Amino acid sequence: HALSPRWSLTVIALAEFSGPLIFGVAVAKTVGGGIVLPDFVTMNALLAAVGSAILWGLLTWYLGIPSSASHAVIGGLIGAVVMSNGWHGVYLNGIIKVLIILFTSPLIGFVVGYLVTKLVILASWNATPRVNEVYKKGQVATSVALALSYGANDAQKTMGILTLGLLTSGVIHSFNVPFWVVISCASMIALGTMVGGWRLIRTLGAKFFKIRPLDGFSTQLASTAVILGASFFGGLVSTTQVVSTAIMGVGSAERMNKVRWGVAKDIVMAWVFTIPATALIGAGLLWLIVRFG
């Protein structure tokens, strides 16, 4: 309750739009040149990859399960390129590097969330209940910081795909993200936030445990540190994963049985299946495009 829902969406959308403009496009370059070999990418493969990520995103949104757009894009891209050119069309070392970052960042988010909460509790040990007002105001600042980091990481995955499409079709001749691509992708991620994914908001905001101002402040601070740190080095992380595990770490720092681990199990299962599922969907969509398109 630090802000009204509408104000929250507005402030966060503006911050997400600003993220790539402030922190650069290192993550977009990783997506465009660190996962698949551009020479083996076709427009049909890109269409199949994006279509796979969209279908998976809509399915998990409908079910109210926070899924990783990062995993979905990567899985769809790998599946489509392998379907069209075999495994020599992907950069295996790059995939291994990306997967290591994607799967270790949630663990780091859990640990950082746990440690930040312990420090915040220690700092508030003798405080009166009025300290909640301090954390409410602090949540506004940490929300903006988290949204900036989200724009600096998640929005750039689409920039990488779009720039790869421009390179494949011969519109550009080297992998440099055009400014209009940055603006358009940042605008769309901001617009998506403004629409409001309330099913997912309720899952993260209530289903793990009842979030207090201290919990929200600690979660956002921990998540921002992990996501922004990865973005500076061009590392792809899943904001969904990092925030979810940071919430778990925050709850565990207070007491282990505070977290509804059954909800966490469902989300982890979605993470595990995202890459193989979207790879299969991407391969299937490519077959359909080539066969009937």
Side-chain angles (χ1 to χ4, degrees), residues 80-154:
V81 171
V82 170
M83 180 69 177
S84 59
N85 294 286
W87 284 101
H88 60 275
V90 298
Y91 183 45
L92 290 177
N93 289 335
I95 291 175
I96 292 171
K97 177 184 175 183
V98 166
L99 291 181
I100 288 173
I101 296 173
L102 279 172
F103 283 102
T104 57
S105 56
L107 299 176
I108 297 171
F110 181 93
V111 172
V112 174
Y114 183 93
L115 294 176
V116 166
T117 306
K118 286 293 188 183
L119 290 173
V120 170
I121 291 173
L122 184 63
S124 311
W125 189 254
N126 293 320
T128 67
R130 291 181 63 186
V131 75
N132 284 319
E133 295 302 317
V134 176
Y135 288 131
K136 276 187 179 181
K137 293 177 181 177
Q139 270 187 275
V140 177
T142 53
S143 293
V144 171
L146 179 57
L148 285 169
S149 68
Y150 181 70
N153 201 285
D154 277 54

Side-chain angles (χ1 to χ4, degrees), residues 233-258:
F233 297 102
L236 280 76
V237 298
S238 168
T239 303
T240 308
Q241 287 189 356
V242 173
V243 173
S244 298
T245 54
I247 291 174
M248 296 179 212
V250 168
S252 300
E254 296 180 35
R255 64 179 188 275
M256 291 297 292
N257 62 359
K258 183 175 182 177

